[in-house]
Amino acid sequence: RRHGFEPYESEPGELSLRNCPFHALSRRNPELVCGLNQAFIDGVLRGLGNETVEARLQPQIGECCVKLRAPGRR
């Protein structure tokens, strides 16, 4: 929340991000920017020692392209 992602639980065990702080950049090159965003969020999770949550790309109109969920969930 503090960094502008506006997280919410979209379904049990899944956290979606309403806002992408990189939205303006992603309009120019979504594959690059969304991939970097996913790697950034995954790096934060791993840096915190978290191995039970995955940051996965799942683009949706009007939201950030990254969703957080337990490994193995689709």
Side-chain angles (χ1 to χ4, degrees):
R1 288 187 179 114
R2 186 172 60 192
H3 299 290
F5 287 99
E6 298 181 24
Y8 70 98
E9 187 175 27
S10 50
E11 59 182 75
E14 181 177 271
L15 189 68
S16 293
L17 308 170
R18 282 192 178 97
N19 186 41
C20 176
F22 311 110
H23 180 70
L25 289 173
S26 71
R27 288 185 197 165
R28 291 181 159 185
N29 193 337
E31 288 180 21
L32 174 65
V33 175
C34 292
L36 288 171
N37 190 23
Q38 183 271 334
F40 167 72
I41 293 172
D42 190 63
V44 169
L45 291 169
R46 301 305 154 242
L48 293 170
N50 189 322
E51 297 295 331
T52 62
V53 175
E54 292 178 331
R56 301 187 66 181
L57 284 178
Q58 189 174 336
Q60 287 187 287
I61 295 173
E63 292 193 357
C64 180
C65 57
V66 179
K67 291 194 182 283
L68 306 174
R69 63 179 68 134
R73 287 195 52 140
R74 297 275 171 214

